Amino acid sequence: MRTRGQEISGLAVVAALGACGTSKPSAPVEIIGRDWTVAAGAEQYKCIGIQVDRDMYISEFQTENPVGEHHTVLTVTDQLGGLGGTMLGEYDCSVLTLDLQMLFASGVGTDALTLPKGVALKVTKGQYLNLNLHLFNTTDSEITAHSGILATLVDPVPADHEAEMVFSGTFNINIPPGATVTTGGGCTLQKDATLFSYWPHMHQLGTHQTLTLT
């Protein structure tokens, strides 16, 4: 997945176990979204939580990406609460109002995330989705817009062709004035996997990220 601009928070890696199959994709549909308003020059986080009403196998994600949307993080959980107290419905939130299991993330100018042929991310009926929006209005006028996540749904895939998006990095970043700091994080895979995409998200002070597989 290609991103443009400077962003910083952690590295997201997508892992899948296979790349074959014949599922025919549908047209993209919005699986979660909300309206929002941000005053001129303001920066806010706004969230929405929903409960999933059916099983979904997703082969592609993309954001509707209106002006004022700096980044999105979509997470999934079996139980509400998450890192910062995820809830149902629309609500104001913070950068860490997330669940531990990531589904998709985007920044300004992010392309669609298309999984390899025959691979899909599964979301199960009864689970909860939480969309965290970082909104930053750099204009001189109030912005009212709609942010949403579009997904391409496919037929069910075998368990060994199910993919996942994982947080791999660190939120523990402390940079003293005038200093240059190198920091990092990671995760341990529990079984063989194929890595096919990552999202290097940084803000104003981030300059470079490196992913190493050992």
Side-chain angles (χ1 to χ4, degrees):
M1 179 163 46
R2 177 166 54 89
T3 57
R4 294 186 287 273
Q6 289 187 329
E7 329 243 27
I8 201 167
S9 117
L11 183 65
V13 178
V14 182
L17 297 182
C20 61
T22 58
S23 295
K24 295 181 179 180
S26 63
V29 296
E30 183 179 281
I31 58 171
I32 190 170
R34 62 162 292 175
D35 298 333
W36 50 265
T37 298
V38 177
E43 181 177 12
Q44 293 182 342
Y45 287 88
K46 293 185 178 292
C47 290
I48 179 173
I50 63 169
Q51 187 169 31
V52 179
D53 62 2
R54 56 173 167 154
D55 289 350
M56 294 187 293
Y57 289 83
I58 301 169
S59 66
E60 181 177 285
F61 289 96
Q62 61 188 97
T63 176
E64 296 178 39
N65 200 33
V67 173
E69 179 185 289
H70 178 263
H71 75 250
T72 73
V73 180
L74 179 63
T75 56
V76 62
T77 185
D78 294 329
Q79 184 175 356
L80 293 174
L83 291 174
T86 56
M87 301 185 293
L88 284 176
E90 298 182 358
Y91 60 101
D92 292 340
C93 53
S94 72
V95 63
L96 289 179
T97 308
L98 305 168
D99 301 301
L100 291 176
Q101 179 60 54
M102 193 176 189
L103 273 185
F104 175 68
S106 70
V108 176
T110 299
D111 295 336
L113 173 63
T114 304
L115 279 64
K117 184 178 179 181
V119 174
L121 279 135
K122 181 182 179 182
V123 179
T124 303
K125 179 180 178 180
Q127 289 186 307
Y128 299 93
L129 298 182
N130 188 75
L131 177 60
N132 185 304
L133 302 171
H134 179 202
L135 305 171
F136 192 12
N137 183 357
T138 60
T139 74
D140 295 328
S141 303
E142 179 180 270
I143 297 178
T144 296
H146 178 87
S147 290
I149 302 299
L150 302 176
T152 300
L153 306 181
V154 295
D155 294 332
V157 300
D160 63 353
H161 286 64
E162 292 180 9
E164 63 178 345
M165 178 83 82
V166 298
F167 289 111
S168 179
T170 182
F171 291 103
N172 185 22
I173 300 172
N174 183 13
I175 308 175
T180 298
V181 173
T182 298
T183 188
C187 64
T188 301
L189 298 177
Q190 302 301 315
K191 53 187 175 181
D192 291 345
T194 299
L195 307 183
F196 63 88
S197 185
Y198 71 98
W199 181 58
H201 187 66
M202 298 182 289
H203 287 181
Q204 289 95 335
L205 302 181
T207 59
H208 182 73
Q209 286 194 18
T210 299
L211 171 65
T212 303
L213 178 64
T214 58

